[in-house]
Amino acid sequence: RTVACVCDWSFDLPDAITGTQKITVPTGQQVRLPIDIMLPDSTIPGSYTLRATFDYGNGQTQEDSLTLHVLRHRNPPRLKSKIALFDPPGETAAQLKAAGMAFQPVDANTDLADYEMLIVGKAALTPGGVAPDISRVRDGLRVVVFEQTAAVLEKRFGFRVTEYGLRWVFPRVPGHPLLAGLDREHLRDWRGSATILPPRLEYEMQPRHGPTVRWCDIEVPRLWRCGNRGNVASVLIEKPACGDFLPIVDGGYSLQYSPLMEYREGRGMILFCQLDVTARSESDPVADSIANRVLAYAASWKPAARRTAVYVGEEAGRQHLEASGFGLQRYAGELSAEQVLVVGPGGGTSLTEDSAAIAQWLEAGGHLLAIGLDQPEVAFLPSPIGITHREHIATYFPHPAWGSFLCGIGPADVHNRDPRMLPLITSGALIVGDGVLATADEKENVVFSAMTPWQFDGSRQWNLKKTHRRSSFLVTRLLANLGAVTSTPIIDRFHAP
């Protein structure tokens, strides 16, 4: 039956804004009631509640409420860098023009020698198409890559990807400039719909399997995608185990995907922004703010000191680290400030005779990563370290802050899917979680990891593949945080897929 209803609403500002509207709802229908609230200029940023009471005139009432977040208005940044834009589709160009940002359109053959920053627009790349040569990243060029399709990320660059359609992602690096002033509640349920993907999966009907899609060139029975409304990130990159990739935001299963990652190589960097910030069906203030922050951060980015990795330990560790993109040197009895010492299983005992020199090197600012060392193998360190073999499955620890040697690492990266005894740190260091990670005091740049990725053989035991990948990312990230130089084919694949 047709229902008449009176809606009283109020917005809990210091000086509350209220209103009343009458509506009639026909049988089997819905009525949407737009509410337009003009915020006073004096409104302080924060969380406010919109409340509504519905009176049906027959003694029945209903109440509802919704929390809204008010952000401080930020003008688009005025960038002094000379900026190039590669954007054949034009959606990013339109957004930059609307924000009043200056840029120079370029094509795939443009020499970028005169530019300090390159912006790659949303869906500007194709799996096999032409694109600018960004080899100057190694010399200091900064590149911002906005949303690209899964086909480009997977088939051109070689990332592991997924099309989730996340409506909530999480800060991984507290204190990072890109997240300043934002909290977890701001990274969810954005206004409007994302547009990088169609609202529904494009599938083929297969006998016995029904609707089927291709993922990593594997036929997968799946029909679960229902629109893009509220999406924060639609096409996600799994955190790579190779290369200096710092995840700033993450989400998805086991928080193993990052839609906002910083890749560093040489004196430059590439910022991959897969957050749905471009050409949304409706403007969202957080999405717009992040898009501006990404450009401002890239324009002001400065390279950090880089060091060469020196490895001591079992051969399997050397092979693993070299496959992860690190150019390793062999330990020859002397260390310099431009080196990071990596000590794997079997390597600690060989350093005992050099313990005094290593202590002096650490005191002078040397950096050291210890991976999977037993109690006898840490005797070469200047401070006594306690290690106990205990079973490790999982642990929890707060997000390491921006600038920490554990920056970008999360509890999911130390999740062991094959419970076994590990050499956990119990004393002599700042213990993280159950001791699967630890750092020395402020006087020593030493990091400990009980997880040894090459000892989780996913090729023989399939349930260890994920543990191998996540622990590989863990060790790669720790080494990159310590300043170790690494490289991947990403820069070359940008120009020549």
Side-chain angles (χ1 to χ4, degrees):
R1 64 188 179 86
T2 299
V3 176
C5 176
V6 177
C7 174
D8 294 313
W9 57 266
S10 64
F11 195 46
D12 292 347
L13 293 168
D15 295 324
I17 299 176
T18 62
T20 298
Q21 296 191 43
K22 297 181 180 180
I23 55 175
T24 301
V25 186
T27 303
Q29 301 299 314
Q30 295 181 349
V31 173
R32 296 179 180 267
L33 186 62
I35 298 176
D36 190 7
I37 301 173
M38 297 299 294
L39 297 182
D41 293 338
S42 60
T43 302
I44 299 174
S47 300
Y48 299 91
T49 303
L50 177 64
R51 307 178 190 277
T53 300
F54 302 90
D55 187 345
Y56 298 96
N58 57 1
Q60 293 185 6
T61 60
Q62 290 182 339
E63 296 182 354
D64 201 357
S65 64
L66 174 68
T67 300
L68 300 177
H69 300 272
V70 176
L71 302 181
R72 186 179 306 279
H73 176 73
R74 296 178 182 269
N75 293 320
R78 294 292 179 257
L79 307 180
K80 298 180 180 179
S81 303
K82 190 173 182 182
I83 300 173
L85 173 67
F86 178 69
D87 184 34
E91 288 183 317
T92 300
Q95 192 160 316
L96 294 179
K97 288 178 181 178
M101 293 188 187
F103 59 87
Q104 180 65 44
V106 298
D107 59 29
N109 299 316
T110 301
D111 185 353
L112 300 176
D114 295 333
Y115 296 94
E116 301 171 64
M117 191 166 89
L118 170 67
I119 301 173
V120 181
K122 172 189 171 187
L125 302 175
T126 58
V130 294
D133 182 354
I134 63 167
S135 56
R136 280 195 57 250
V137 165
R138 300 183 180 98
D139 299 321
L141 179 67
R142 290 148 288 170
V143 179
V144 173
V145 182
F146 283 111
E147 307 97 304
Q148 304 300 316
T149 64
V152 167
L153 297 173
E154 177 187 273
K155 297 178 180 179
R156 185 180 191 114
F157 293 122
F159 289 116
R160 290 175 59 88
V161 299
T162 192
E163 296 178 348
Y164 256 151
L166 295 182
R167 294 180 174 88
W168 197 352
V169 296
F170 305 93
R172 174 52 52 199
V173 185
H176 194 283
L178 284 172
L179 303 178
L182 299 179
D183 60 30
R184 288 176 45 164
E185 291 298 317
H186 296 143
L187 299 176
R188 60 177 295 184
D189 302 317
W190 287 350
R191 289 183 71 239
S193 299
T195 55
I196 188 67
L197 294 178
R200 301 229 179 346
L201 288 176
E202 298 178 1
Y203 60 85
E204 296 181 2
M205 294 298 297
Q206 298 282 354
R208 299 181 60 187
H209 295 289
T212 303
V213 297
R214 280 193 171 271
W215 174 81
C216 290
D217 215 31
I218 303 171
E219 291 185 350
V220 181
R222 187 178 300 166
L223 189 58
W224 314 121
R225 180 175 182 80
C226 298
N228 297 321
R229 186 167 182 80
N231 278 13
V232 175
S234 301
V235 183
L236 306 174
I237 302 173
E238 183 177 325
K239 301 173 189 177
C242 303
D244 186 355
F245 287 91
L246 174 65
I248 302 167
V249 169
D250 57 21
Y253 178 76
S254 195
L255 297 181
Q256 64 185 326
Y257 300 96
S258 177
L260 186 60
M261 283 196 305
E262 178 183 321
Y263 172 71
R264 292 174 285 185
E265 185 172 340
R267 296 174 50 240
M269 72 96 166
I270 306 174
L271 193 59
F272 289 92
C273 180
Q274 287 296 122
L275 293 170
D276 293 321
V277 298
T278 309
R280 300 184 64 85
S281 65
E282 299 177 57
S283 175
D284 180 272
V286 178
D288 294 342
S289 174
I290 289 179
N292 293 336
R293 290 163 183 252
V294 162
L295 298 176
Y297 174 74
S300 61
W301 184 88
K302 302 294 183 184
R306 314 306 289 167
R307 300 175 175 86
T308 304
V310 177
Y311 179 74
V312 182
E314 60 188 12
E315 183 60 24
R318 172 178 295 278
Q319 294 174 2
H320 175 88
L321 293 174
E322 288 178 343
S324 298
F326 294 97
L328 301 180
Q329 295 180 352
R330 293 189 180 274
Y331 178 69
E334 295 183 359
L335 294 168
S336 70
E338 291 75 35
Q339 293 175 321
V340 178
L341 179 59
V342 186
V343 186
T349 54
S350 65
L351 298 174
T352 305
E353 295 181 357
D354 299 334
S355 58
I358 291 175
Q360 185 176 3
W361 172 71
L362 288 173
E363 188 175 353
H367 291 56
L368 187 150
L369 174 62
I371 308 173
L373 301 189
D374 291 328
Q375 184 67 68
E377 293 192 286
V378 295
F380 74 95
L381 292 172
S383 302
I385 301 295
I387 295 179
T388 302
H389 274 259
R390 290 204 305 260
E391 183 182 76
H392 168 77
I393 300 176
T395 187
Y396 171 79
F397 48 88
H399 297 352
W402 172 237
S404 162
F405 286 141
L406 304 181
C407 179
I409 302 298
D413 301 317
V414 295
H415 184 190
N416 177 16
R417 292 158 182 83
D418 180 32
R420 61 177 67 181
M421 308 294 281
L422 294 181
L424 304 179
I425 308 298
T426 55
S427 64
L430 303 176
I431 296 172
V432 177
D434 61 355
V436 69
L437 295 173
T439 59
D441 61 29
E442 296 179 357
K443 298 180 181 179
E444 299 174 6
N445 303 316
V446 181
V447 179
F448 301 88
S449 171
M451 299 282 283
T452 309
W454 54 89
Q455 294 180 358
F456 296 93
D457 190 354
S459 63
R460 297 183 180 181
Q461 191 175 338
W462 281 22
N463 69 309
L464 293 184
K465 284 188 173 184
K466 195 176 298 296
T467 302
H468 175 74
R469 289 201 303 270
R470 302 278 26 96
S471 60
S472 296
F473 165 77
L474 165 74
V475 168
T476 299
R477 186 67 249 149
L478 292 176
L479 259 178
N481 286 341
L482 289 167
V485 174
T486 180
S487 63
T488 71
I490 290 294
I491 292 177
D492 298 326
R493 290 176 181 173
F494 194 96
H495 181 61

